[in-house]
Amino acid sequence: MLEQVEKFTRRLSTVLEWVGLVAVMFMVLITCADVLGAKIFLRPVFGAIDLVMLAQLVAISFAASATLLVGKHVQVEFFVMMFPARLKAIVDAFIQLLGFSLFVVIVWRLTVYGYHLQISGEVSSTARIPLYFFAYGAALACLPVCLLLLLHFLKIIGKMVGDK
């Protein structure tokens, strides 16, 4: 069962990573077009700041689970590496559970925030792009992070129980 969930989460993370990559490429293109348009043609891209800001949100949030999968998140384990194996596992399980709890709260609050943006009709300042799509998208992009942290936690607990 856990293997199937992990396989699904890996596939979903890969798809979301590609969305994040497209957002980064979009940021590069908009920035180049804006600079060239402003300097050469004296016509900057309308709403370029809004577009880049929202693309950054997409790039960061949609790549989070892929970053977690490949282990590129910042970790500080200076003291933990000196602990005995059992204590390391307990600390790691606690950290995974704490991270899972944090991302559950993030998903919940982003969903609530997206609803408030939707109800109030909040849009970006110059391009007038509705913002609630991006709050909901960031919440959706954090779901695989929740699943991965929960899977890591369950694997650690399984190893600890299996070692007894």
Side-chain angles (χ1 to χ4, degrees), residues 4-68:
Q4 292 172 334
V5 173
E6 185 172 8
K7 192 175 182 180
F8 167 76
T9 306
R10 284 183 182 277
R11 277 189 265 137
L12 181 60
S13 295
T14 302
V15 170
L16 294 178
E17 180 183 21
W18 278 101
V19 173
L21 179 63
V22 169
V24 169
M25 297 303 293
F26 180 74
M27 283 190 313
V28 170
L29 290 174
I30 288 295
T31 303
C32 288
D34 187 45
V35 169
L36 291 174
K39 300 296 179 189
I40 296 174
F41 304 111
L42 302 175
R43 300 273 313 171
V45 174
F46 175 74
I49 293 173
D50 290 346
L51 295 171
V52 169
M53 172 189 65
L54 294 171
Q56 283 177 335
L57 170 69
V58 171
I60 291 167
S61 60
F62 280 66
S65 61
T67 308
L68 184 62

